[in-house]
């Protein structure tokens, strides 16, 4: 999107006046778009960094320490590869050789007619031999024994091993090593890769005899040489060194370098590699014949009654996926009709449709941040049918570069490649051994707010960029729910704890009820230099709600067509020569700023207009390429991890600590909270990971864990008498905020409620109202920058961006489907390749990305050829040392880990495990919830007791019987004896409800019955 070849930083606006000098594309004299007389060119506001991006960066979510051995191994591995960019040259496949000929067969392709990887000889040889092995495999795979069951998956590996062993570039069917020798050689290579220096040579020395004993020509590998040093050198050449080594010949897509970013040249090539490598894909829709072939192949390997896995609770069931499927079908139909009239419907029926999701973000290579040393990447991922969302084979890095660089070129290249995947393309399916046509589309692009603003080139924070995807000013007087409306809603919580905001208006017409899209939505004043009344009939129509005759700026949801119309309108008016109606650069800036367009695009429009005025033949590009690709803006979704946990929960945590410090209770607050957090951390639960405060080393999973229990820990402090009486009302407002936060996030993440967009919309608006009310009670009604949902000068766009989630859920499904933890975890896959000091050469990232793809393919083959290792199962519950220890903790009011198990006709029971691994027992927990039961910050507390009897149980039985896990959170008040009252939260975000049964978290009528806004006195007026 940069003009005149300039490459602007996507993450920072220009300093004032930087763009005043505008060059044309021919390099002639500089030109300047005329300014208004006697006006400073500086913006009247600064776009600041969002709260989720700097200081407490989410990048720390991936910053794990990589050991020294991994670093040394990476250095050695890169050294082996960087000198030999490609082991098999394209010229090796130019002329047929006897060894490369294939017997005449109308069904099979020869190497030379194989319709893939024409420009990548290494991949072509590998996947052609894979193809031959698949087509000639034994049809009764499940009757084969040992490694022969996987022989049809390893044609490329067997051919590559033969070439490495013989040091010959022969590619015929007969030029393959037997599967047993292939597996042995592969294992030797894996060991050699993990060693370096002299240790690697020792390994090579040890395997010489093993290589020589191979039936596929191992004796020829050494040529009868008896010299030990020569034999060791030759063994290394077979395994990891030189062009013909095994390591050098693993497949990798063709890579290119653009603007200091390495990226996959063609995503079409990567898709071919995925389908040919037998990586399972869950299609949105596929031809019946293909589905039957998948079923037949699965049953050949797993038995006649086996059924291949298929996910149902995933984003493929969303409205957005249905819309994407329609778009892909229409694209296939149009293309087919264009090529052959009348063939459209048949082409649609015979095509498999596949959706992918993209993600991008920056990260630190090591645990410490260093200026200009961070990295940035784009990944694509797709649904794994077996439900393993963390599979490395279903997420792929497709672009890699420095985080400090401009990513515009890389983004445009990858997104253009994704758009090209819509074309109906013939591919070979390694799972079925059949040909299939595919059409692939982008379902969503997930980023944090800062990254998304830079990618879309829309405003970030400031007056009109607070809410993602909206050009809207924040009217803090009218946008929140007014006190009277809130009281009306809260008074009904006893009968209806789920208020309704949809299609409702303030009966007193004094508030917007957080609805920016209504016809009566509040407006803000025009920017200072908005081109008011500067109408030019020759410049076409102005975009909707942004005319030159406006008196105020109305909120409007952005879309690319609207933005294109706006920047084109601004450009035409800036190019005008009529001084009475022409726009000066301040007019252009303020007009586009009111549309939520970032400074880079504003600069580009001014440059293009100045260049045109200087020479009408100049035509600089000022519309970002992304806006013209045909990808709807709504596909760039709000990502839950950064929005909810790195954003909202982190800010609420800081707000609570700041409030305690106002009363000089900050250290007491930390001590109280850490007492509970330390005990919960010691449980080691995978579904509730917590750390102590302050949050210096907190990751997203820690904020998520806190969100589960925050009312019972933070809320207990504010309820427990630690805040002086003069702060009681403000403390109550914070308790209401914590209750509404817990209810909102539970609904967003719960499998039970996460699709109910209307209910979530209500909970979001109640939460935002509680944030507003708490801010007013703590800091006063006149301090706009102290409003929690607006920010303290740095801006907090996450809060108002919550309003986007209901519509996103209606269209894309629950936000938990798009939780970007799997993408963040994939950083750990590529980070070991980047641990060493980054080089300044252009080829650095390309060599790293090439090594990443080779390593990924090695891991895929390793999973097939080596025995499956039993992975550590997730720790869902804690097993206590003894029953005596458990009863002591229960009596003292310690947070406890429990499980919910199914007792058949008796229903479910909460149980707590204790004892040794081989002598485990459990005791049941009874709970009673009378009408008078107390609450912790809105969470009902039951009277609990441990039963006297305990029962023996094995780990397998416990795992089989468990339906949920839960935490018992004590209600321990200051100066009051603990009476075994516990709130209970479940692993699926439910709580123990007032009906004494598992249910959804609800807003508390008791808590909200206190009218915290009964007076407007500020308890803690800010100085």
């Amino acid at each position: 999107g940069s003009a005149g070849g300039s490459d602007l930083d996507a993450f920072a606006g220009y300093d004032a006046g930087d763009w005043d000098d505008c060059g044309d594309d021919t390099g002639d004299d500089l030109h300047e778009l005329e300014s208004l007389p006697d006006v400073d060119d500086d913006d009247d506001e600064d776009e600041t960094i969002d709260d989720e991006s700097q200081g407490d960066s989410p990048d720390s979510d991936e910053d794990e320490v990589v050991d020294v051995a991994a670093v040394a191994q990476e250095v050695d591995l890169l050294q082996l590869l960087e000198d030999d960019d490609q082991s098999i040259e394209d010229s090796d496949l130019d002329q047929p050789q006897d060894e490369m000929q294939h017997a005449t067969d109308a069904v099979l392709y020869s190497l030379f007619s194989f319709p893939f990887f024409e420009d990548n000889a290494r991949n072509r040889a590998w996947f052609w031999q894979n193809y031959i092995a698949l087509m000639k495999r034994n049809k009764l795979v499940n009757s084969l024994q040992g490694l022969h069951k996987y022989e049809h998956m390893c044609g490329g590996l067997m051919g590559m091993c033969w070439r490495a062993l013989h040091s010959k570039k022969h590619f015929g069917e007969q030029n393959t090593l037997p599967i047993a020798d292939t597996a042995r050689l592969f294992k030797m290579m894996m060991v050699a890769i993990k060693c370096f220096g002299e240790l690697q040579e020792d390994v090579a020395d040890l395997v010489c005899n093993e290589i020589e004993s191979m039936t596929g020509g191992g004796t020829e590998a050494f040529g009868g040489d008896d010299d030990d040093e020569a034999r060791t050198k030759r063994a290394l050449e077979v395994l990891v060194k030189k062009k013909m080594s095994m390591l050098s010949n693993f497949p990798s897509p063709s890579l290119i370098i653009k603007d200091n970013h390495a990226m996959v040249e063609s995503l079409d090539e990567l898709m071919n590699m995925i389908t040919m490598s037998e990586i399972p894909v869950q299609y949105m829709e596929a031809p019946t014949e293909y589905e039957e072939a998948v079923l037949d192949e699965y049953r050949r390997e797993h038995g006649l009654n086996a059924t291949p896995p298929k996910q149902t609770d995933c984003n493929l069931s969303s409205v957005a996926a249905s819309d994407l499927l329609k778009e892909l079908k229409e694209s296939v139909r149009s293309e087919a009709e264009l090529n052959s009239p009348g063939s459209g419907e048949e082409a649609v029926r015979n095509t498999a449709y596949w959706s992918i999701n993209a993600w991008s973000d920056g990260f630190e290579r090591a645990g410490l941040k260093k200026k200009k040393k961070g990295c940035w990447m784009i990944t694509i991922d797709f649904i794994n049918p077996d439900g393993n969302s963390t599979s490395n084979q279903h997420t792929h890095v497709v672009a890699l570069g420095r985080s400090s660089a401009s990513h515009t070129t890389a983004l445009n290249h990858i997104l253009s490649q994704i758009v090209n995947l819509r074309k109906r393309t013939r591919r070979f399916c390694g799972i079925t051994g059949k040909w299939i046509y595919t059409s692939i589309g982008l379902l969503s692009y997930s980023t944090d707010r800062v990254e998304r603003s830079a990618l879309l080139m829309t405003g970030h924070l400031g007056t009109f960029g607070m809410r993602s995807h909206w050009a809207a000013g924040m009217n803090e007087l009218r946008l929140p729910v007014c006190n009277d409306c809130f009281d009306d809603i809260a008074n009904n919580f006893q009968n209806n704890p789920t208020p309704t905001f949809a299609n409702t208006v303030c009966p007193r017409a004094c508030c917007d009820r957080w609805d920016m899209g209504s016809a009566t939505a509040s407006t803000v004043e025009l920017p200072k230099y908005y081109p008011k009344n500067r109408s030019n009939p020759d410049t076409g129509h102005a975009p909707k709600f942004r005319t030159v005759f406006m008196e105020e700026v109305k909120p409007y949801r952005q879309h690319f067509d609207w933005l294109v119309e706006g920047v084109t309108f601004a450009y035409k008016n800036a190019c005008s020569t009529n001084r009475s109606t022409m726009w000066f650069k301040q007019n252009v800036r303020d007009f586009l700023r009111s549309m939520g367009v970032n400074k880079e695009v504003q600069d580009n429009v001014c440059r293009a207009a100045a260049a045109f005025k200087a020479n009408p033949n100049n035509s600089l590009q000022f519309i970002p390429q992304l806006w013209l690709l045909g990808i709807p803006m709504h596909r760039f979704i709000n990502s839950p991890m950064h929005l909810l946990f790195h954003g909202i929960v982190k800010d609420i945590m800081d707000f609570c600590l700041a409030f305690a410090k106002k009363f000089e209770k900050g250290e007491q607050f930390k001590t109280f909270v850490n007492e509970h957090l330390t005990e919960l951390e010691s449980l080691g639960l995978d579904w509730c990971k917590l750390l102590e405060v302050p949050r210096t080393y907190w990751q997203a999973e820690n904020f998520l864990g806190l969100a589960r229990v925050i009312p019972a820990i933070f809320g207990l402090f504010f309820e427990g008498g630690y805040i002086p009486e003069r702060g009681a009302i403000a403390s109550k407002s914070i308790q209401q905020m914590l209750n509404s936060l817990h209810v909102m996030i539970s609904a967003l993440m719960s499998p039970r409620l996460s699709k109910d967009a209307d209910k979530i919309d209500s909970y979001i608006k109640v939460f935002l109202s509680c944030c507003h009310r708490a801010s007013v009670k703590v800091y006063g009604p006149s301090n706009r920058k102290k409003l929690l949902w607006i920010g303290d000068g740095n801006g907090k766009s996450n809060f108002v961006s919550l309003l986007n989630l209901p519509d996103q859920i209606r269209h894309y499904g629950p936000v938990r489907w798009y939780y970007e933890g799997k993408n963040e975890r994939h950083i750990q896959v590529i980070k070991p390749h980047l641990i060493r000091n980054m080089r300044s050469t252009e080829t650095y990232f390309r060599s790293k990305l090439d090594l990443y793809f080779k390593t990924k393919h090695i891991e895929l083959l390793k999973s097939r050829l080596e025995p499956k290792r039993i992975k550590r199962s997730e720790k869902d519950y804690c097993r206590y040392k003894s029953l005596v220890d458990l009863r002591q903790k229960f009596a003292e009011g310690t947070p406890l880990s429990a499980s919910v198990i199914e007792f058949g006709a008796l229903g479910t029971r909460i149980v707590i495990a204790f004892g040794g691994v081989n002598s485990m027992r459990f005791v049941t927990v009874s709970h009673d919830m009378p009408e008078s039961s107390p609450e912790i910050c809105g969470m009902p507390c039951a009277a609990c007791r441990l039963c006297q009897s305990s029962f023996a149980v094995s780990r397998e039985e416990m795992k089989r019987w468990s339906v949920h896990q839960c935490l018992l959170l004590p209600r321990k008040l200051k100066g009051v004896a603990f009476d075994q009252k516990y709130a209970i939260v479940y692993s699926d975000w439910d709580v123990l409800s007032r009906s004494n049964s598992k249910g959804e978290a609800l807003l508390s009528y008791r808590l909200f019955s206190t009218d915290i806004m009964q007076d407007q006195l500020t308890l803690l007026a800010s100085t």
Side-chain angles (χ1 to χ4, degrees):
S2 302
S6 176
D7 196 9
L8 302 182
D9 185 351
F11 290 94
Y14 268 20
D15 292 334
D18 270 20
W19 52 271
D20 291 347
D21 294 332
C22 309
D24 62 22
D25 56 352
T26 61
D28 294 333
D29 294 337
L30 299 179
H31 305 292
E32 180 179 311
L33 188 63
E34 192 170 356
S35 301
L36 285 166
D38 301 322
V39 172
D40 186 1
D41 290 341
D42 290 348
D43 283 343
D44 58 351
E45 66 176 80
D46 291 327
E47 296 190 20
T48 52
I49 301 300
D50 196 8
D51 52 297
E52 73 180 17
S53 65
Q54 297 291 333
D56 301 295
S57 171
D59 295 344
S60 62
D61 201 42
E62 313 86 31
D63 292 339
E64 299 179 2
V65 177
V66 179
D67 59 38
V68 176
V71 174
Q73 176 186 330
E74 159 62 20
V75 173
D76 192 63
L77 195 57
L78 185 61
Q79 185 64 42
L80 293 173
L81 290 173
E82 62 184 357
D83 295 331
D84 299 321
D85 185 38
Q86 184 166 313
S87 57
I88 300 176
E89 307 294 342
D90 293 337
S91 59
D92 296 331
L93 304 183
D94 285 346
Q95 299 297 326
Q97 301 175 19
D98 292 341
E99 296 86 349
M100 299 166 66
Q101 295 289 354
H102 185 273
T104 302
D105 190 332
V107 177
L108 299 180
Y109 283 98
S110 70
L111 176 61
F112 308 103
S113 60
F114 194 53
F116 302 106
F117 311 111
E118 289 88 350
D119 299 325
N120 193 325
R122 178 181 56 197
N123 285 3
R124 192 174 191 186
W126 176 285
F127 286 106
W128 178 76
Q129 289 186 308
N130 257 11
Y131 157 76
I132 293 299
L134 280 164
M135 296 302 290
K136 294 197 169 185
R137 70 193 183 284
N138 190 317
K139 296 300 182 182
L140 298 176
V141 176
N142 61 347
S143 66
L144 300 177
Q145 300 298 316
L147 291 172
H148 291 288
K149 294 185 68 172
Y150 307 104
E151 190 168 5
H152 67 284
M153 302 180 180
C154 301
L157 179 63
M158 293 188 294
M160 182 261 283
C161 288
W162 188 96
R163 291 190 292 277
L165 202 60
H166 293 78
S167 193
K168 294 180 180 179
K169 297 181 179 180
H170 294 175
F171 307 93
E173 290 178 57
Q174 71 276 16
N175 304 126
T176 57
L177 209 60
I179 186 63
D181 288 342
T182 296
R184 289 164 63 197
L185 206 56
F186 180 77
K187 181 70 173 179
M188 295 175 201
M189 185 205 69
M190 292 291 295
V191 175
I193 287 175
K194 294 177 182 178
C195 305
F196 48 94
E198 293 183 1
L199 183 57
Q200 191 178 73
E201 293 181 0
D202 292 341
V203 169
D205 185 48
L206 291 172
V207 302
C208 284
N209 291 335
E210 283 288 318
I211 295 176
E212 204 166 28
S213 67
M214 292 182 178
T215 58
T219 54
E220 300 176 13
F222 300 101
D225 198 334
D226 294 330
D227 181 75
D228 290 341
E229 185 176 345
R231 287 163 59 84
T232 299
K233 180 180 179 182
R234 176 61 188 136
L236 286 174
E237 291 175 355
V238 170
L239 298 176
V240 295
K241 291 187 175 179
K242 302 296 182 181
K243 283 190 175 184
M244 294 302 296
S245 71
M246 294 174 60
L247 180 60
S248 297
N249 281 280
F250 279 94
S252 172
S254 300
L255 305 174
I256 57 174
I257 298 173
K258 288 186 177 182
D259 283 356
N260 296 313
H261 288 72
M263 60 200 83
V264 175
E265 181 176 15
S266 169
L267 289 187
D268 189 65
E269 180 184 15
L270 179 60
M271 297 301 116
N272 282 331
M273 291 176 62
I274 291 170
T275 55
M276 292 184 187
S277 298
E278 302 178 59
I279 297 172
V281 176
Q282 183 156 328
Y283 292 101
M284 293 190 287
E285 185 179 300
T288 304
E289 298 81 1
Y290 176 78
E291 297 284 4
E292 292 173 350
V294 171
L295 179 61
D296 291 344
E297 190 64 28
Y298 191 81
R299 287 178 172 173
R300 286 192 188 102
E301 295 191 29
H302 298 88
L304 294 178
N305 297 320
T307 302
K310 190 172 184 179
Q311 282 201 68
T312 55
D313 186 30
C314 65
N315 57 29
L316 297 187
S317 60
S318 65
V319 174
S322 299
D323 292 345
L324 176 61
L325 181 59
K326 292 177 182 177
E327 291 176 21
L328 294 178
K329 286 184 174 181
E330 183 56 37
S331 175
V332 168
R333 181 182 293 106
S334 301
E335 183 183 357
E337 290 289 345
L338 184 64
N339 295 329
S340 177
S343 63
E345 293 305 319
E346 182 180 358
V348 168
R349 286 193 303 271
N350 295 328
T351 303
Y353 302 94
W354 178 2
S355 71
I356 59 175
N357 304 282
W359 171 89
S360 62
D361 200 4
F363 62 95
E364 297 300 321
R365 296 179 300 111
L368 298 176
K369 291 188 176 184
K370 295 182 180 179
K371 186 177 180 181
K372 297 184 179 180
K373 293 297 183 181
C375 296
W376 175 90
M377 70 180 187
I378 304 177
T379 67
I380 59 170
D381 63 83
F382 50 95
I383 297 294
N384 185 359
D386 70 8
N388 179 12
S389 62
T390 61
S391 166
N392 287 341
Q393 302 301 328
H394 290 77
T395 301
H396 299 269
V397 178
V398 293
L400 184 65
R402 291 181 183 271
S403 57
S404 58
S406 170
H407 312 307
T408 303
T409 300
L411 286 164
N412 288 339
H413 172 79
I414 295 301
L415 289 172
S416 297
Q417 287 292 311
I418 290 175
V419 170
N420 291 338
L421 291 177
R422 288 170 169 258
K423 296 178 181 178
R424 185 172 185 256
T425 305
R426 187 172 182 243
R427 307 186 194 278
F428 182 75
C429 175
I431 294 176
T432 63
K434 296 183 179 297
W435 296 92
I436 184 173
Y437 285 94
T438 67
S439 176
I440 305 171
L442 178 69
L443 180 59
S444 69
Y445 194 120
S446 180
T447 62
D448 62 30
R449 174 64 202 279
V450 180
E451 178 90 4
R452 186 165 56 255
S453 296
L455 190 157
L456 300 177
M457 293 194 169
T458 53
H460 185 65
L461 304 182
T463 302
F464 301 102
M466 288 292 292
R467 182 176 175 183
S468 178
H469 290 326
W470 280 73
M474 298 293 112
N475 187 330
E476 73 277 9
L477 300 178
R478 282 193 54 89
L479 184 59
V481 174
C482 66
N483 294 337
D484 290 334
C485 284
F486 191 88
D487 290 342
D488 292 343
I489 294 167
N491 290 335
N492 199 35
F493 281 173
Q494 185 171 16
N495 300 320
N496 179 23
T498 307
T500 301
F501 281 85
N503 301 318
T504 61
V505 295
C506 175
R508 291 160 287 275
C510 60
C511 70
D512 292 338
R513 294 196 169 197
W514 299 105
D515 186 359
M516 292 184 182
S518 69
T520 59
S522 58
T523 57
V524 296
E525 63 181 17
L526 295 172
K528 184 176 181 180
Y529 300 112
Y530 189 90
K532 186 178 179 183
N533 297 323
R534 298 187 73 85
S535 174
N536 187 337
D538 299 327
T539 56
H541 296 290
K544 189 175 183 180
F545 295 128
R546 292 298 183 271
T547 70
V548 295
F549 304 108
M550 296 192 313
E551 297 297 329
E552 292 182 313
V553 180
K554 183 178 178 63
Y556 190 71
R557 182 164 186 169
Q558 298 168 319
H559 53 85
F560 287 141
D561 290 343
W562 185 70
L563 294 176
V564 169
E565 188 178 8
V567 297
T568 304
F569 183 70
Y571 170 76
K572 289 180 178 180
N573 279 281
C575 291
S576 174
T577 57
N578 186 340
R579 295 193 64 84
S580 64
T581 60
M582 67 176 288
W583 290 11
F584 298 93
K585 61 181 177 181
Q586 291 85 359
N587 303 135
V588 173
R589 274 187 159 180
D590 276 6
F591 176 80
L592 294 179
R593 194 161 61 84
S594 76
M595 294 186 67
V597 173
N598 75 358
K599 289 183 179 179
E600 182 176 344
V601 179
Q602 297 172 25
D603 297 346
N604 291 342
V605 172
C606 291
R607 284 194 184 95
F612 177 83
K613 282 186 164 185
N615 182 356
N617 293 323
N618 284 335
S619 180
L620 299 186
Q621 177 64 35
F622 58 88
I623 300 177
Q625 182 180 336
L626 171 59
W627 296 5
L628 305 174
L629 288 178
I631 302 174
M633 181 181 276
H634 59 74
R635 293 217 170 118
F636 298 86
I637 63 173
N638 295 269
S639 53
M641 189 181 83
H642 288 89
L643 176 62
L644 297 178
F645 303 112
H646 276 303
I648 300 297
V649 174
K650 174 176 72 67
D651 288 334
I652 295 297
M653 185 178 177
D654 292 345
F655 186 84
C656 291
L657 178 58
F659 176 70
K661 287 180 177 179
K662 288 287 185 180
F663 294 95
E664 299 181 351
K665 299 292 184 180
E667 292 304 316
Q668 193 172 4
F669 175 79
K670 292 179 183 178
T671 301
F672 177 89
V673 167
N674 282 337
E675 180 183 344
H676 291 77
L677 293 180
T678 301
E679 188 64 35
L680 290 170
E681 180 187 2
S682 68
L683 299 176
L685 304 178
D686 286 328
W687 61 276
C688 189
K689 296 181 179 181
L690 290 164
L691 296 175
E692 293 185 358
V693 297
R695 52 175 178 76
T696 308
Y697 299 105
W698 280 46
Q699 302 174 3
E701 61 187 10
N702 305 124
F703 290 112
L704 185 150
L706 179 64
R708 294 179 181 273
V709 299
I710 195 169
I713 299 180
F714 283 35
L716 188 60
F717 176 84
F718 295 115
E719 185 180 329
Y722 295 93
I723 300 296
E725 183 64 27
R726 59 193 173 90
I729 297 298
S731 179
K732 182 69 72 173
S733 72
I734 291 179
Q735 293 175 53
Q736 293 179 355
M737 180 178 68
L738 293 175
N739 176 230
S740 63
L741 170 70
H742 180 254
V743 170
M744 175 189 73
I745 291 186
S746 296
L748 285 165
M749 301 302 290
S750 164
R752 177 208 299 258
L753 300 173
S754 54
K755 295 181 180 180
D756 193 338
D758 290 339
K759 179 175 288 190
I760 288 171
D761 178 67
S762 298
Y763 286 154
I764 287 172
K765 290 173 179 176
V766 169
F767 168 69
L768 290 175
S769 300
C770 290
C771 290
H772 179 75
R773 291 155 67 86
S775 301
V776 169
K777 296 310 295 180
V778 173
Y779 293 112
S782 60
N783 195 337
R784 183 180 192 270
K785 287 191 174 181
K786 287 296 183 180
L787 293 176
L788 179 58
W789 59 277
I790 288 181
D792 56 0
N794 289 327
K796 295 188 181 298
S797 65
N798 290 320
F799 286 84
V800 288
S801 292
L802 286 171
L803 296 169
N804 295 340
L805 294 184
D807 281 342
Q808 180 176 309
I809 291 169
R810 293 182 184 100
H811 199 62
Y812 287 89
V815 295
R816 61 188 176 83
W817 285 350
Y818 302 91
Y819 190 80
E820 62 271 40
K822 63 179 181 296
N823 303 100
E824 299 277 353
R825 279 191 290 268
H826 204 72
I827 291 173
Q828 298 305 325
V829 178
I830 197 166
K831 184 183 285 188
H833 303 309
L834 302 165
I835 277 298
R836 294 285 288 186
N837 291 333
M838 285 200 300
R839 302 178 188 175
S840 58
T841 59
E842 287 190 343
T843 58
Y844 173 80
F845 284 112
R846 184 174 64 182
S847 64
K848 295 295 188 179
L849 198 54
D850 181 68
L851 181 56
Y852 158 81
F853 279 109
K854 289 177 184 291
T855 306
K856 182 185 283 283
H857 212 90
I858 289 172
E859 291 298 322
L860 176 63
L861 292 167
K862 180 181 176 182
S863 68
R864 293 168 178 171
L865 294 177
E866 294 189 0
K868 300 292 189 295
R869 297 182 181 179
I870 299 176
K871 295 183 179 179
R872 182 189 76 86
S873 58
E874 291 188 351
K875 186 177 180 182
D876 296 328
Y877 63 92
C878 177
R879 187 182 67 253
Y880 293 90
K881 183 166 56 175
S882 65
L883 184 57
V884 173
D885 176 57
L886 174 58
R887 291 193 183 279
Q888 181 180 352
K889 289 179 179 293
F890 185 84
E892 293 174 350
T894 302
L896 297 171
S897 167
S899 298
V900 181
I901 66 175
E902 186 72 51
F903 272 99
L906 297 177
T908 58
R909 295 289 187 274
I910 295 177
V911 303
I912 302 178
F914 64 90
V917 176
N918 299 318
S919 58
M920 185 164 64
R921 303 179 69 85
F922 69 73
V923 60
T924 60
V925 179
S926 65
H927 47 84
D928 186 37
M929 186 79 71
E931 184 65 28
S932 59
S933 293
E935 297 178 346
I936 309 178
C937 198
M939 294 176 63
C941 295
C944 300
R945 70 181 184 88
L946 291 178
C947 296
Q948 295 299 316
S949 302
S950 63
F951 305 90
V953 63
S954 67
R955 293 176 64 182
E956 291 72 22
E957 289 172 330
M958 194 73 173
K959 184 176 181 179
R960 188 169 64 251
W961 295 343
S962 295
V963 290
H964 298 289
Q965 275 66 47
C966 61
L967 286 171
L968 277 64
L969 304 171
R971 185 177 184 270
K972 290 176 62 176
L973 299 177
K974 181 181 180 182
V976 179
F978 180 60
D979 56 357
Q980 284 78 49
K981 297 291 196 309
Y982 283 90
I984 301 177
V985 295
Y986 295 85
S987 55
D988 65 349
W989 297 89
D990 277 357
V991 299
L992 186 68
S993 68
R994 286 214 159 270
S995 63
N996 200 33
S997 61
K998 181 174 175 289
E1000 64 182 272
L1002 296 173
L1003 296 166
S1004 168
Y1005 170 73
R1006 291 186 187 179
L1007 183 60
F1008 282 90
S1009 62
T1010 301
D1011 183 6
I1012 64 166
M1013 306 297 287
Q1014 57 187 336
D1015 61 73
Q1016 291 298 322
L1017 296 178
T1018 303
L1019 300 174
L1020 296 172
S1022 173
T1023 59

